[in-house]
């Protein structure tokens, strides 16, 4: 005798889907990303040194400082991940161009390329017969010249910064200065402005003056002793020359103060 098979098992009820997927399973995150909260990243700071270097390069500050600050700023930007690379690079480029510009002007000025007008005409004895521009280093003993009013700046003890050139004229024409001696200082390293001016003053005020003008007692009351001397920048280019001259800061004079036979 056999036992009849039982009724087939009833099917398991299917779980109901919720609005966001199977129960017990999290809904998929949008775009396949992980769910959660993320802290926002802090914005990059702009390097302050780069900004300072850029501003100083625009206002032509102390030479080389914007260049050095720009280089340091670039190093900081790389190490800290800051912004401002454009400011630092601009500061380096602008100040580099500025230095090159002034360097070219200095060289042109010392070479006489910026002198205006033709060279003065001289006779066979070297005396000026026609006016013209010359470099300060080309002034000769006995030359009368105009300094474009520079003598008024030399009244204090520290003197003033002279122009690169003067206009030489015949001594019978109105002029501000007359050169009575030209000599060179010894070679070597630049001894400093104080030492150079002391040497120039000692020689210009000695027998070089009396040999040229004689012993006119009233001359010292009318004219003053001046001199052109080398600066550290011109010394590096080979300038060793001191030019002694007499001048009147109150105005131009006419005629030479040279004694007969001097």
């Amino acid at each position: 005798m056999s036992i009849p098979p039982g009724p087939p098992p009833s099917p398991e009820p299917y779980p109901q889907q919720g609005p966001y997927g199977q129960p017990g399973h999290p809904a998929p995150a949008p775009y396949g990303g992980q769910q959660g909260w993320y802290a926002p990243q802090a914005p990059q700071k702009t390097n302050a040194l780069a900004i300072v270097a850029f501003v100083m390069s625009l206002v032509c500050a102390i030479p080389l400082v914007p260049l050095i600050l720009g280089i340091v700023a670039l190093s900081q930007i790389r190490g800290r991940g800051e912004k401002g690379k454009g400011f630092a690079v601009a500061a380096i480029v602008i100040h580099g161009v500025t230095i090159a510009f002034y360097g070219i002007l200095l060289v042109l000025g010392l070479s006489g390329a910026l002198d205006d007008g033709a060279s003065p005409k001289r006779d066979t004895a070297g005396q000026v017969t026609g006016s013209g521009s010359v470099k300060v280093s080309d002034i000769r003993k006995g030359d009368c010249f105009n300094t474009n009013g520079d003598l008024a700046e030399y009244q204090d003890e520290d003197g003033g910064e002279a122009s690169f050139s003067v206009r030489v004229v015949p001594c019978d024409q109105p002029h501000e200065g007359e050169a009575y001696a030209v000599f060179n200082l010894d070679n070597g390293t630049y001894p400093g402005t104080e030492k150079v001016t002391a040497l120039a003053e000692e020689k210009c005020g000695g027998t070089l003056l009396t040999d040229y003008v004689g012993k006119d007692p009233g001359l010292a009351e009318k004219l003053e002793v001046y001199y052109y001397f080398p600066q550290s920048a011109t010394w590096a280019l080979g300038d060793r020359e001191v030019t002694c001259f007499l001048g009147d800061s109150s105005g131009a004079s006419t005629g030479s103060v040279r004694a007969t036979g001097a």
Side-chain angles (χ1 to χ4, degrees):
M1 143 176 215
S2 63
I3 300 173
S10 59
E12 294 288 336
Y14 293 102
Q16 297 294 321
Q17 285 194 343
Y20 299 103
Q22 296 290 338
H25 297 281
Y31 311 110
Q34 293 272 339
Q35 288 183 329
W37 295 97
Y38 296 91
Q41 292 184 348
Q44 285 181 303
K45 293 170 53 179
T46 300
N47 185 272
L49 203 59
I51 298 176
V52 172
F54 178 71
V55 173
M56 292 185 71
S57 69
L58 293 178
V59 298
C60 299
I62 304 172
L64 298 180
V65 171
L67 187 65
I68 296 173
L69 292 181
I71 294 173
V72 174
L74 283 179
S75 177
Q76 291 182 351
I77 289 170
R78 285 194 296 266
R80 302 173 184 175
E82 294 177 328
K83 296 190 298 183
K85 181 179 179 181
F87 285 122
V89 172
I92 294 172
V93 172
I94 292 173
H95 197 64
V97 171
T98 302
I99 292 174
F101 173 75
Y102 284 111
I104 292 172
L105 281 184
L106 177 62
V107 171
L108 291 177
L110 294 176
S111 66
L114 299 181
D115 293 346
D116 54 345
S119 298
K121 297 178 180 179
R122 299 180 184 271
D123 59 19
T124 55
Q127 298 299 309
V128 175
T129 58
S131 62
S133 295
V134 299
K135 293 184 293 182
V136 167
S137 58
D138 288 336
I139 297 174
R140 303 183 189 180
K141 176 181 176 180
D143 282 355
C144 295
F145 55 90
N146 288 310
T147 66
N148 298 320
D150 284 348
L151 292 187
E153 301 178 6
Y154 301 160
Q155 296 306 300
D156 57 15
E157 294 181 358
D158 296 330
E161 186 170 347
S163 301
F164 289 123
S165 63
V166 297
R167 187 162 189 82
V168 176
V169 298
C171 289
D172 58 1
Q173 295 182 11
H175 56 272
E176 297 173 292
E178 180 176 350
Y180 63 86
V182 178
F183 61 90
N184 288 325
L185 298 175
D186 294 335
N187 288 324
T189 58
Y190 186 66
T193 302
E194 186 175 347
K195 179 66 173 178
V196 169
T197 54
L199 291 171
E201 187 171 352
E202 178 184 359
K203 282 199 168 186
C204 289
T207 57
L208 292 176
L209 176 59
T210 56
D211 288 347
Y212 187 86
V213 301
K215 301 187 181 297
D216 182 358
L219 186 62
E221 298 178 2
K222 296 185 295 183
L223 301 174
E224 296 181 63
V225 172
Y226 298 88
Y227 44 84
Y228 291 119
F229 60 90
Q231 305 283 338
S232 57
T234 60
W235 186 278
L237 299 175
D239 180 20
R240 304 289 185 272
E241 191 170 86
V242 174
T243 301
C244 313
F245 65 97
L246 292 165
D248 185 354
S249 61
S250 62
S253 57
T254 304
S256 174
V257 297
R258 191 170 193 167
T260 304

